[in-house]
Amino acid sequence: MVETVVKFLNSLLWDQLLIYALVGVGVYFTVSLLFIQVTHLKHSAKVMLTSRQADEAGLSSFQVFCTSMAARVGAGNMAGVAVAIGAGGPGAIFWMWLIAMVGMATAMVESTLAQVYKVKDSTGQYRGGPAYYMEKGLGQRWMGVLFSVFLIISFGLVFNAVQANTIAGAVNQVFDVSPTVIGIGLVLVSAVVITGGMRKVARVSEFVVPVMALFYIAMALIVVAMNFDKLPAVFSLVINNAFGWHEAAAGGVGYTVSQAMQSGVARGLFSNEAGMGSAANVAACAAPTPPHPASQGFVQMVGVFIDTLVICTATAAIILLSHDWQASDDGIAMTITALQFHVGVWGGWFVAGAILLFCFTSIIANYSYAESNVIFLIGNRRSVILGFRLGVLAMVMFGALAKISLVWDLANLSMGLMALVNILALVLLSGVAFRVITDYRDQLAAGKEPEFDKTQFPDIAQQMDDQVWNVTTEESRPVPER
């Protein structure tokens, strides 16, 4: 009964609402910002790579990037890509690329707004995200409460169950370790990290994420090099399946395109999180360099690009080059089988290790997102935070033992509800974001290092936290050569 209701609600959300809403706002932001994800991609990478400074109240932009990547790069990049291909065919990958490209502009907007409306909590740490910009920017606390509840359910609870489920499936398949043992191990290691709060999560992410991403991309490049002559055929397969050109003669275009689009958009959003409002929670924690709200938006654009257009594409290449993408509807099993096809039995060991790292870092980063929203709802009370941490760990254990289809369906539902609330807020606050981003770009074009002066925005200055954004008095400095 529960599965039937969840599947019905998911169908309503993804078939009728979110596909069009996400693509629509992504296109709107892309056009309004003059294709900023293309024109400023190089600058985005430069900001991300050179922003290593933090202050006592916040994290460095690079730490924030790694933490958001820790959440993004997980089950969606490996099991999720395989699930998308199994459900929608190879064409789903094209729609994942598309949602990532337009999603980069959406990530720019939501992360910029998170910086504009961030606050200092009772311990002097930066906090922010959609719930905060809904309350401060729109004056609608009820909307922020609704978003927080959905995020806590999805990221704090359901998504962590998904990550644990994927780890348990991979390790059990490759090493035949009991899911119960795996769950207990995950709970213990996760507890060590999350009890240290946001800063410990960021430190672990800053160390692990770059290493694990580089190793996984290197493996995909090896597979591509081994099958270089097959690349044109695989690319043709993706494009033809995305638009139903192979099925046109059989009259199956509508169904095939619909399935490919639905699967690609759903799994693409789950993976890169653009428009969902999740990464904006950690984006608000940065002490941005340059000291301007829009700089963190540029950093988050890079995250979406690497997540989907690099890492998800790497997984897709491994699977499609194996010519066995219809072999299983179990995402992680499909990925393991595909890599074993290319490099032998040790490919399964590699995938299991990658899944363990990718999904573990997602668990700890997801917790940090949820923690900020718990604090938004009830303040920084130790007893409540402790109780929440125990709830998160319980869901990790549940996920290691749960039925995978129900876990994925619950993840889709909670993610969809969260995204709907955030999309509405982004549209309503888009004018603020556009002005702040334009201010940054104008200073950059004038040869200055962008700095934010809130006196230039008197209509929103009163909604901003004076502890965070004081009037800039230092003269703008020349930008190093770009």
Side-chain angles (χ1 to χ4, degrees), residues 129-197:
Y132 295 80
Y133 58 66
M134 289 168 191
E135 180 181 39
K136 295 175 71 64
L138 295 175
Q140 303 296 329
R141 180 171 173 81
W142 68 268
M143 197 173 179
V145 169
L146 190 63
F147 176 88
S148 291
V149 170
F150 286 142
L151 185 140
I152 290 167
I153 292 172
S154 58
F155 277 79
L157 304 175
V158 179
F159 281 9
N160 280 338
V162 169
Q163 305 296 344
N165 189 285
T166 305
I167 292 172
V171 176
N172 177 257
Q173 179 180 343
V174 175
F175 300 110
D176 196 27
V177 179
S178 164
T180 301
V181 174
I182 297 168
I184 292 171
L186 281 175
V187 166
L188 293 176
V189 178
S190 299
V192 171
V193 179
I194 68 175
T195 52

Coordinates of all heavy atoms in Angstrom, one line a residue, residues 129-197:
G129 N 20.8 29.2 3.7 CA 20.2 28.3 2.8 C 18.8 28.7 2.4 O 18.3 29.8 2.8
P130 N 18.1 27.9 1.7 CA 16.7 28.2 1.3 C 15.8 28.6 2.4 O 15.0 29.6 2.3 CB 16.2 27.0 0.5 CG 17.5 26.4 0.0 CD 18.5 26.6 1.0
A131 N 15.8 27.9 3.5 CA 14.9 28.3 4.6 C 15.1 29.7 5.1 O 14.2 30.4 5.4 CB 15.1 27.3 5.7
Y132 N 16.4 30.1 5.1 CA 16.8 31.4 5.6 C 16.4 32.5 4.5 O 15.9 33.6 4.9 CB 18.3 31.5 5.9 CG 18.7 30.6 7.0 CD1 18.9 29.2 6.8 CD2 18.9 31.1 8.3 CE1 19.2 28.4 7.9 CE2 19.3 30.3 9.4 CZ 19.4 28.9 9.2 OH 19.8 28.1 10.2
Y133 N 16.6 32.2 3.2 CA 16.2 33.3 2.3 C 14.7 33.3 2.1 O 14.2 34.3 1.6 CB 17.0 33.2 1.0 CG 17.0 32.0 0.1 CD1 15.9 31.5 -0.6 CD2 18.3 31.3 -0.2 CE1 16.0 30.4 -1.4 CE2 18.3 30.3 -1.0 CZ 17.2 29.8 -1.7 OH 17.3 28.7 -2.5
M134 N 14.0 32.2 2.4 CA 12.6 32.3 2.4 C 12.0 33.2 3.5 O 11.1 34.0 3.3 CB 12.0 30.9 2.5 CG 12.2 30.0 1.2 SD 11.8 28.3 1.5 CE 12.4 27.5 0.0
E135 N 12.6 33.0 4.7 CA 12.2 33.8 5.8 C 12.7 35.3 5.7 O 11.9 36.2 5.9 CB 12.8 33.3 7.1 CG 12.3 34.1 8.4 CD 12.9 33.5 9.6 OE1 14.1 33.1 9.6 OE2 12.2 33.5 10.7
K136 N 13.9 35.5 5.4 CA 14.5 36.9 5.4 C 14.2 37.6 4.1 O 13.8 38.8 4.1 CB 16.0 36.9 5.6 CG 16.3 36.3 7.0 CD 17.8 36.2 7.2 CE 18.5 37.5 7.3 NZ 18.1 38.3 8.4
G137 N 14.3 36.9 2.9 CA 14.1 37.6 1.7 C 12.6 37.7 1.3 O 12.2 38.8 0.7
L138 N 11.8 36.7 1.6 CA 10.4 36.7 1.2 C 9.5 37.1 2.4 O 8.4 37.4 2.2 CB 10.0 35.4 0.7 CG 10.6 34.9 -0.6 CD1 10.2 33.5 -1.0 CD2 10.2 35.9 -1.8
G139 N 10.1 37.0 3.6 CA 9.3 37.3 4.8 C 8.3 36.2 5.1 O 7.2 36.5 5.7
Q140 N 8.6 35.0 4.7 CA 7.6 33.9 4.8 C 8.3 32.7 5.6 O 8.8 31.8 5.0 CB 7.2 33.4 3.4 CG 6.6 34.4 2.5 CD 5.3 35.0 3.0 OE1 4.5 34.3 3.7 NE2 5.0 36.3 2.8
R141 N 8.2 32.8 6.9 CA 8.9 31.8 7.7 C 8.2 30.4 7.5 O 8.8 29.4 7.5 CB 8.8 32.2 9.2 CG 9.5 31.1 10.0 CD 9.7 31.4 11.5 NE 10.2 30.3 12.3 CZ 11.4 29.8 12.3 NH1 12.4 30.4 11.6 NH2 11.7 28.8 13.0
W142 N 6.9 30.4 7.3 CA 6.2 29.2 7.1 C 6.7 28.4 5.9 O 6.8 27.2 5.9 CB 4.7 29.4 6.9 CG 4.3 30.1 5.6 CD1 4.2 31.4 5.4 CD2 4.1 29.4 4.3 NE1 3.9 31.7 4.0 CE2 3.8 30.5 3.4 CE3 4.1 28.1 3.9 CZ2 3.6 30.2 2.0 CZ3 3.9 27.8 2.5 CH2 3.6 28.9 1.6
M143 N 7.1 29.1 4.9 CA 7.7 28.5 3.7 C 9.1 27.9 4.0 O 9.4 26.8 3.6 CB 7.8 29.6 2.6 CG 8.0 29.0 1.2 SD 8.0 30.5 0.1 CE 8.3 29.6 -1.5
G144 N 9.9 28.6 4.8 CA 11.1 28.1 5.3 C 11.0 26.9 6.2 O 11.8 25.9 6.1
V145 N 10.0 26.9 7.0 CA 9.7 25.7 7.9 C 9.3 24.5 7.0 O 9.8 23.4 7.2 CB 8.5 26.0 8.8 CG1 8.1 24.8 9.5 CG2 9.0 27.1 9.9
L146 N 8.5 24.7 6.0 CA 8.1 23.6 5.1 C 9.3 23.0 4.4 O 9.5 21.8 4.3 CB 7.1 24.1 4.1 CG 6.3 23.1 3.2 CD1 5.5 22.2 4.1 CD2 5.5 23.8 2.2
F147 N 10.1 23.9 3.9 CA 11.3 23.5 3.2 C 12.2 22.7 4.2 O 12.8 21.6 3.8 CB 12.1 24.6 2.6 CG 13.4 24.2 2.0 CD1 13.5 23.9 0.6 CD2 14.6 24.2 2.7 CE1 14.7 23.5 0.0 CE2 15.8 23.8 2.1 CZ 15.8 23.4 0.8
S148 N 12.4 23.2 5.4 CA 13.3 22.6 6.3 C 12.8 21.2 6.7 O 13.6 20.2 6.8 CB 13.4 23.4 7.6 OG 14.1 24.6 7.4
V149 N 11.5 21.0 6.8 CA 11.0 19.7 7.2 C 11.2 18.7 6.0 O 11.7 17.6 6.3 CB 9.5 19.8 7.4 CG1 8.8 18.4 7.5 CG2 9.2 20.6 8.7
F150 N 11.0 19.2 4.8 CA 11.3 18.3 3.6 C 12.7 17.9 3.5 O 13.1 16.8 3.2 CB 10.8 18.9 2.3 CG 9.3 19.0 2.2 CD1 8.7 20.1 1.6 CD2 8.5 17.9 2.6 CE1 7.3 20.1 1.4 CE2 7.1 17.9 2.4 CZ 6.5 19.0 1.8
L151 N 13.6 18.9 3.8 CA 15.1 18.7 3.7 C 15.5 17.7 4.8 O 16.3 16.8 4.5 CB 15.9 20.0 3.7 CG 17.4 19.7 3.5 CD1 17.9 20.8 2.6 CD2 18.1 19.7 4.8
I152 N 15.0 17.9 6.0 CA 15.4 17.0 7.1 C 15.0 15.6 6.8 O 15.8 14.6 7.0 CB 14.8 17.5 8.4 CG1 15.5 18.9 8.8 CG2 15.0 16.5 9.5 CD1 14.8 19.6 9.9
I153 N 13.8 15.4 6.3 CA 13.3 14.1 5.9 C 14.1 13.5 4.8 O 14.6 12.3 4.9 CB 11.8 14.1 5.5 CG1 10.9 14.5 6.7 CG2 11.4 12.8 4.9 CD1 9.5 14.8 6.4
S154 N 14.4 14.3 3.8 CA 15.1 13.8 2.6 C 16.6 13.6 2.9 O 17.1 12.5 2.8 CB 14.8 14.7 1.4 OG 15.2 16.0 1.6
F155 N 17.3 14.7 3.2 CA 18.7 14.6 3.3 C 19.2 14.0 4.6 O 20.1 13.2 4.7 CB 19.4 15.9 3.1 CG 19.6 16.3 1.7 CD1 18.5 16.7 0.9 CD2 20.8 16.1 1.1 CE1 18.6 17.0 -0.4 CE2 20.9 16.4 -0.3 CZ 19.9 16.8 -1.0
G156 N 18.5 14.4 5.7 CA 18.9 13.8 7.0 C 18.6 12.4 7.2 O 19.3 11.6 7.8
L157 N 17.5 11.9 6.6 CA 17.0 10.6 6.8 C 17.0 9.7 5.5 O 17.7 8.8 5.4 CB 15.6 10.7 7.4 CG 15.5 11.5 8.7 CD1 14.1 11.7 9.2 CD2 16.4 10.9 9.8
V158 N 16.1 10.0 4.6 CA 15.9 9.1 3.4 C 17.2 9.0 2.6 O 17.6 7.9 2.2 CB 14.7 9.6 2.6 CG1 14.5 8.7 1.4 CG2 13.4 9.6 3.4
F159 N 17.8 10.1 2.2 CA 18.9 10.1 1.3 C 20.1 9.3 2.0 O 20.9 8.6 1.3 CB 19.4 11.5 0.9 CG 18.6 12.1 -0.2 CD1 17.4 11.5 -0.6 CD2 19.0 13.3 -0.8 CE1 16.6 12.1 -1.6 CE2 18.2 13.9 -1.8 CZ 17.0 13.3 -2.2
N160 N 20.2 9.4 3.3 CA 21.3 8.7 3.9 C 21.0 7.2 3.9 O 21.9 6.4 3.9 CB 21.5 9.2 5.4 CG 22.3 10.5 5.4 OD1 23.1 10.7 4.4 ND2 22.2 11.3 6.4
A161 N 19.7 6.9 4.0 CA 19.3 5.5 3.8 C 19.7 5.0 2.4 O 20.1 3.8 2.2 CB 17.8 5.3 4.1
V162 N 19.5 5.8 1.4 CA 19.8 5.5 0.0 C 21.3 5.2 -0.1 O 21.8 4.2 -0.7 CB 19.4 6.6 -0.9 CG1 20.0 6.3 -2.3 CG2 17.9 6.6 -1.1
Q163 N 22.1 6.1 0.5 CA 23.6 5.9 0.4 C 24.0 4.6 1.1 O 24.9 3.9 0.6 CB 24.3 7.1 1.0 CG 23.9 8.5 0.4 CD 24.2 8.6 -1.1 OE1 25.0 7.9 -1.6 NE2 23.7 9.6 -1.7
A164 N 23.5 4.4 2.3 CA 23.8 3.2 3.0 C 23.4 1.9 2.3 O 24.1 0.9 2.2 CB 23.2 3.2 4.4
N165 N 22.2 2.0 1.6 CA 21.7 0.9 0.8 C 22.6 0.6 -0.3 O 22.9 -0.6 -0.6 CB 20.3 1.3 0.3 CG 19.6 0.1 -0.3 OD1 19.9 -0.2 -1.4 ND2 18.6 -0.4 0.4
T166 N 23.1 1.6 -1.0 CA 24.0 1.4 -2.1 C 25.4 0.8 -1.6 O 25.9 -0.1 -2.3 CB 24.3 2.7 -2.8 OG1 23.0 3.3 -3.2 CG2 25.1 2.5 -4.1
I167 N 25.9 1.3 -0.5 CA 27.1 0.7 0.0 C 26.9 -0.8 0.3 O 27.8 -1.6 0.0 CB 27.6 1.5 1.3 CG1 28.0 2.9 0.9 CG2 28.7 0.7 2.0 CD1 28.3 3.8 2.1
A168 N 25.8 -1.1 1.0 CA 25.6 -2.5 1.5 C 25.5 -3.4 0.3 O 26.0 -4.5 0.2 CB 24.3 -2.5 2.3
G169 N 24.8 -2.9 -0.8 CA 24.6 -3.7 -2.0 C 25.9 -4.0 -2.7 O 26.2 -5.1 -3.1
A170 N 26.8 -3.0 -2.8 CA 28.0 -3.2 -3.5 C 29.0 -4.1 -2.7 O 29.6 -5.0 -3.3 CB 28.7 -1.8 -3.7
V171 N 29.1 -3.8 -1.4 CA 30.1 -4.6 -0.6 C 29.6 -6.0 -0.5 O 30.4 -7.0 -0.5 CB 30.3 -3.9 0.7 CG1 31.2 -4.7 1.6 CG2 30.9 -2.5 0.6
N172 N 28.3 -6.2 -0.3 CA 27.7 -7.6 -0.2 C 28.0 -8.3 -1.5 O 28.3 -9.5 -1.5 CB 26.3 -7.5 0.1 CG 25.6 -8.9 0.2 OD1 24.9 -9.3 -0.8 ND2 25.9 -9.6 1.2
Q173 N 27.7 -7.7 -2.7 CA 27.9 -8.4 -3.9 C 29.3 -8.8 -4.2 O 29.6 -9.9 -4.7 CB 27.4 -7.5 -5.1 CG 27.5 -8.2 -6.5 CD 27.0 -7.3 -7.6 OE1 26.3 -6.3 -7.4 NE2 27.4 -7.6 -8.8
V174 N 30.3 -7.9 -3.9 CA 31.7 -8.1 -4.2 C 32.4 -9.0 -3.2 O 33.1 -9.9 -3.5 CB 32.4 -6.8 -4.4 CG1 33.9 -7.0 -4.7 CG2 31.8 -6.0 -5.6
F175 N 32.1 -8.7 -1.9 CA 32.9 -9.3 -0.8 C 32.0 -10.3 0.0 O 32.6 -10.9 1.0 CB 33.5 -8.3 0.1 CG 34.5 -7.4 -0.6 CD1 34.2 -6.0 -0.9 CD2 35.7 -7.8 -1.1 CE1 35.0 -5.2 -1.5 CE2 36.6 -7.0 -1.8 CZ 36.3 -5.7 -2.0
D176 N 30.7 -10.3 -0.2 CA 29.8 -11.2 0.5 C 29.8 -10.9 2.0 O 29.8 -11.9 2.8 CB 30.2 -12.7 0.2 CG 29.0 -13.6 0.6 OD1 27.9 -13.2 0.6 OD2 29.3 -14.8 1.0
V177 N 29.8 -9.7 2.3 CA 29.7 -9.2 3.7 C 28.3 -9.0 4.1 O 27.6 -8.4 3.3 CB 30.6 -8.0 4.0 CG1 30.5 -7.6 5.5 CG2 32.0 -8.2 3.6
S178 N 27.9 -9.4 5.2 CA 26.5 -9.3 5.6 C 26.1 -7.8 5.7 O 26.8 -7.0 6.2 CB 26.2 -9.9 7.0 OG 25.0 -9.4 7.6
P179 N 24.9 -7.4 5.2 CA 24.4 -6.0 5.3 C 24.3 -5.5 6.7 O 24.6 -4.3 7.0 CB 23.0 -6.1 4.6 CG 23.1 -7.2 3.6 CD 24.0 -8.2 4.3
T180 N 24.1 -6.4 7.6 CA 24.0 -6.0 9.0 C 25.4 -5.5 9.5 O 25.5 -4.5 10.2 CB 23.6 -7.2 9.9 OG1 22.3 -7.6 9.5 CG2 23.5 -6.8 11.4
V181 N 26.4 -6.3 9.2 CA 27.8 -5.9 9.6 C 28.2 -4.6 8.9 O 28.8 -3.7 9.5 CB 28.8 -7.0 9.2 CG1 30.2 -6.6 9.4 CG2 28.5 -8.3 9.9
I182 N 27.8 -4.5 7.6 CA 28.1 -3.2 6.9 C 27.4 -2.0 7.6 O 28.0 -1.0 7.8 CB 27.7 -3.3 5.4 CG1 28.5 -4.4 4.7 CG2 27.9 -2.0 4.7 CD1 27.9 -4.8 3.4
G183 N 26.1 -2.2 7.9 CA 25.4 -1.1 8.5 C 26.0 -0.7 9.9 O 26.1 0.5 10.1
I184 N 26.4 -1.7 10.7 CA 27.0 -1.3 12.0 C 28.3 -0.5 11.8 O 28.6 0.5 12.5 CB 27.2 -2.6 12.8 CG1 25.9 -3.2 13.2 CG2 28.1 -2.3 14.0 CD1 26.1 -4.6 13.8
G185 N 29.1 -1.0 10.8 CA 30.4 -0.3 10.5 C 30.1 1.1 10.1 O 30.8 2.1 10.5
L186 N 29.1 1.3 9.2 CA 28.8 2.7 8.7 C 28.3 3.6 9.8 O 28.7 4.8 9.9 CB 27.7 2.6 7.6 CG 28.2 2.2 6.2 CD1 26.9 2.1 5.3 CD2 29.1 3.2 5.7
V187 N 27.5 3.0 10.7 CA 27.0 3.8 11.8 C 28.1 4.3 12.7 O 28.2 5.5 13.1 CB 26.0 3.0 12.6 CG1 25.7 3.7 14.0 CG2 24.7 2.8 11.9
L188 N 29.1 3.4 13.0 CA 30.2 3.8 13.9 C 31.1 4.9 13.3 O 31.4 5.9 13.9 CB 31.0 2.6 14.2 CG 30.3 1.5 15.1 CD1 31.2 0.3 15.3 CD2 29.9 2.1 16.4
V189 N 31.4 4.7 12.0 CA 32.3 5.7 11.4 C 31.6 7.0 11.2 O 32.2 8.1 11.4 CB 32.9 5.1 10.0 CG1 33.8 6.1 9.4 CG2 33.6 3.8 10.3
S190 N 30.3 7.0 10.8 CA 29.6 8.2 10.6 C 29.4 9.0 11.9 O 29.5 10.2 11.9 CB 28.2 7.9 10.0 OG 28.3 7.2 8.7
A191 N 29.2 8.2 13.0 CA 29.1 8.9 14.3 C 30.3 9.7 14.6 O 30.2 10.8 15.2 CB 28.7 7.8 15.3
V192 N 31.5 9.1 14.3 CA 32.7 9.8 14.7 C 32.8 11.2 14.0 O 33.3 12.2 14.5 CB 33.9 8.9 14.3 CG1 35.2 9.7 14.4 CG2 34.0 7.7 15.2
V193 N 32.4 11.2 12.7 CA 32.5 12.4 11.9 C 31.4 13.4 12.3 O 31.7 14.6 12.5 CB 32.5 12.1 10.4 CG1 32.6 13.4 9.6 CG2 33.6 11.2 10.1
I194 N 30.1 13.0 12.3 CA 29.0 14.0 12.4 C 29.0 14.6 13.8 O 28.5 15.7 13.9 CB 27.7 13.4 12.0 CG1 27.2 12.3 13.0 CG2 27.7 12.8 10.6 CD1 25.8 11.8 12.8
T195 N 29.5 13.9 14.8 CA 29.6 14.6 16.1 C 30.5 15.7 16.2 O 30.5 16.5 17.1 CB 30.0 13.5 17.2 OG1 31.2 12.9 16.8 CG2 28.9 12.5 17.4
G196 N 31.4 15.9 15.2 CA 32.3 17.0 15.1 C 31.6 18.2 14.4 O 32.3 19.3 14.3
G197 N 30.4 18.1 13.9 CA 29.7 19.2 13.3 C 30.2 19.6 11.9 O 31.0 18.8 11.3

